Amino acid sequence: GGAFYETSGAGIDASHEMGKIKGGASFGYQTDKYAESISLGGSTANRRDDLYSYGAKIDYKIQEWILAGLGYTHTRRDSVFSEQFNYKDSRTSASIKFMF
């Protein structure tokens, strides 16, 4: 024992700026491997979850000190052990940033 699960993964973020507009994208992958076997619905196995994410954002520089932004992120978890642990999550965001 001791360890509940082990996580490993990788991600990439990229952005490009043109004048007052800055756009970006992100992609990621993560795997969670659980240390102990679990039992559910008559099956016993070691659980492993694969997580995938992607997103996009755009920022607009209103002035040198104020920035408005919009973003979207989607995350999906697929469990090799049971569909009960699967999920999908989509998030949108809006922001105003003041820089001093």
Side-chain angles (χ1 to χ4, degrees):
F4 184 67
Y5 65 88
E6 184 179 299
T7 297
S8 58
I12 186 167
D13 291 314
S15 64
H16 184 71
E17 193 168 345
M18 287 185 1
K20 292 186 169 209
I21 297 176
K22 181 178 181 181
S26 62
F27 302 92
Y29 169 77
Q30 175 180 316
T31 185
D32 296 338
K33 294 179 182 178
Y34 289 76
E36 298 179 9
S37 295
I38 58 173
S39 295
L40 183 67
S43 297
T44 300
N46 282 42
R47 179 177 160 192
R48 188 187 93 217
D49 297 340
D50 295 321
L51 292 93
Y52 307 90
S53 65
Y54 61 86
K57 64 179 182 176
I58 188 164
D59 292 324
Y60 178 74
K61 189 183 290 186
I62 298 169
Q63 296 288 331
E64 285 299 316
W65 54 274
I66 187 169
L67 193 70
L70 294 173
Y72 172 79
T73 303
H74 179 80
T75 304
R76 186 180 90 220
R77 177 172 69 193
D78 293 329
S79 181
V80 174
F81 178 72
S82 170
E83 289 185 13
Q84 178 178 338
F85 300 112
N86 294 353
Y87 75 83
K88 293 179 183 178
D89 182 44
S90 294
R91 295 180 185 194
T92 55
S93 62
S95 64
I96 299 285
K97 297 177 185 175
F98 297 93
M99 296 167 277
F100 296 95

